Amino acid sequence: MQNRITQLFNIKYPIIQAGMIWNSGWRLASAASNAGVLGLIGAGSMYPDVLHEHIQKCKKATNKPFGVNVPMLYPNVQEIMDIIVEEGVKIVFTSAGNPKTWTSWLQEKGITVVHVVSSVKFALKAQEAGVDAIVAEGFEAGGHNGRDETTTLTLIPMVKEQLQIPLIAAGGIATGKAMLAAMILGADAVQVGSRFVASEESSAHQAFKQVVVDAKEGDTQLTLKELAPVRLVKNKFFNEIQDLYKTSPTKEQLIELLGRARAKRGMFEGDLEDGELEIGQIAGLIHDIKPTAQIVEDMMQEFEEAKQFVSNL
Ligand SMILES: Cc1cc2nc3c(=O)[nH]c(=O)nc-3n(C[C@H](O)[C@H](O)[C@H](O)COP(=O)(O)O)c2cc1C
């Protein structure tokens, strides 16, 4: 299957394995790329030297295209970008920041730039900044998100109405049927996060992967909107945030409760009570931990069956 996105990245299937802190290291990214989709290393949880190592290992593990996701809110972004250029990575997904800051700098070095947004307004700003494609991420998604609570079902057609450049849909997509739905709404491809957390190659702690498998509808909620809105599993830490909200806390009090390294503690070290557990609403539909290649194969098979179903309607 060929379209604007498969051609832009030179991949077989129009699927992006999302960059995810503490989950998408070289193992997941190379497995995804080898399976015919675009694998992304999540640089957001890596010190520059760690990212360097992951890129080098990824290059050894796959000869297919892969990229790096860079949330721009960290202080060492310049160092991260320098490593990406030095290592010859050809695709960068930026998020959590102004797309104007890095887009032309990266493109001048021959790098394809995609920016992640959660609203029409920011999609248009990213297009204006000259990015090659955008990811529009709905409210259902795992991880950090926008404040407006726009769902994928409504965001994608609204962005599509105004955007000319290629569009990648994200948020709540874990099956071939959802992928087809997103493409019918106007997406050229989909970015899948939560489903790949529960893969064998994800670097998440086994206990966190099990939380994802066990999660049911209603087990996650978007919170900490005053800081950076994030969808979390309702565990002990989440309840502490809710209790603090009852006291009309200041931003500083929220920052103090969040503390440091919560996401690492929860997702990477498996502290299910005091750690931050980021996952999307679609976790309620994820019932097993599978090899990445199997996830891709199952999605594509279901996608083809769904197309058949639609043609018979
Ligand atoms: C555990 C986790 C960590 C994430 N970390 C990042 C990140 O570092 N950078 C980023 O741009 N998005 C991040 N996201 C969002 C994903 O890239 C992706 O857009 C989202 O997961 C798609 O929605 P889904 O989870 O419903 O598939 C993260 C998502 C999850 C579940």
Side-chain angles (χ1 to χ4, degrees), residues 18-21 23 69 71 95 137 141-143 170-172 191-194 267 278:
M20 296 180 286
I21 54 163
N23 284 270
N69 167 256
S95 57
E137 190 190 66
Q191 171 165 285
V192 176
S194 296
M267 295 187 281
E278 299 182 12

Side-chain angles (χ1 to χ4, degrees), residues 18-23 42-45 69-71 74 93-96 116 135 137-138 140-144 170-174 191-195 197 208 267 277-282:
M20 296 180 286
I21 54 163
W22 302 113
N23 284 270
S45 48
N69 167 256
V70 185
Y74 299 108
F93 278 45
T94 54
S95 57
V116 185
V135 175
E137 190 190 66
E140 308 86 322
H144 289 276
I173 300 164
Q191 171 165 285
V192 176
S194 296
R195 176 60 269 195
V197 169
F208 175 49
M267 295 187 281
L277 306 176
E278 299 182 12
I279 203 71
Q281 289 184 334
I282 202 65

Side-chain angles (χ1 to χ4, degrees), residues 122-270:
F122 286 110
L124 294 177
K125 279 199 168 167
Q127 179 171 262
E128 211 181 289
V131 301
D132 297 284
I134 73 140
V135 175
E137 190 190 66
F139 166 72
E140 308 86 322
H144 289 276
N145 210 308
R147 289 183 172 77
D148 292 336
E149 306 197 352
T150 311
T151 61
T152 305
L153 194 75
T154 52
L155 181 64
I156 300 307
M158 284 195 278
V159 171
K160 180 67 185 175
E161 195 178 51
Q162 300 198 41
L163 196 83
Q164 277 88 49
I165 59 174
L167 169 61
I168 301 164
I173 300 164
T175 63
K177 284 179 193 161
M179 178 179 163
L180 181 61
M183 292 179 82
I184 288 172
L185 291 174
D188 298 284
V190 295
Q191 171 165 285
V192 176
S194 296
R195 176 60 269 195
F196 285 115
V197 169
S199 68
E200 284 179 4
E201 293 85 353
S202 135
S203 51
H205 193 280
Q206 196 61 26
F208 175 49
K209 291 184 191 178
Q210 197 55 47
V211 167
V212 177
V213 169
D214 294 341
K216 295 184 184 56
E217 185 268 319
D219 283 355
T220 71
Q221 195 173 311
L222 194 73
T223 186
L224 292 175
K225 281 192 173 182
E226 297 75 2
L227 307 181
V230 63
R231 179 171 295 285
L232 298 180
V233 172
K234 296 174 180 170
N235 65 351
K236 175 170 166 270
F237 168 56
F238 174 87
N239 291 333
E240 282 168 11
I241 300 172
Q242 296 312 101
D243 287 343
L244 186 59
Y245 272 124
K246 287 180 198 149
T247 68
S248 307
T250 60
K251 211 170 151 181
E252 287 65 36
Q253 283 173 304
L254 288 168
I255 291 171
E256 196 189 323
L257 173 64
L258 181 59
R260 291 184 65 80
R262 284 270 187 189
K264 180 183 186 191
R265 215 192 303 173
M267 295 187 281
F268 194 65
E269 297 173 348

Side-chain angles (χ1 to χ4, degrees), residues 289-308:
I289 298 163
K290 289 195 283 202
T292 296
Q294 191 68 51
I295 292 173
V296 173
E297 197 185 315
D298 290 352
M299 268 190 83
M300 286 312 299
Q301 190 185 331
E302 197 188 285
F303 177 74
E304 292 304 331
E305 286 166 8
K307 274 203 309 194
Q308 194 61 43

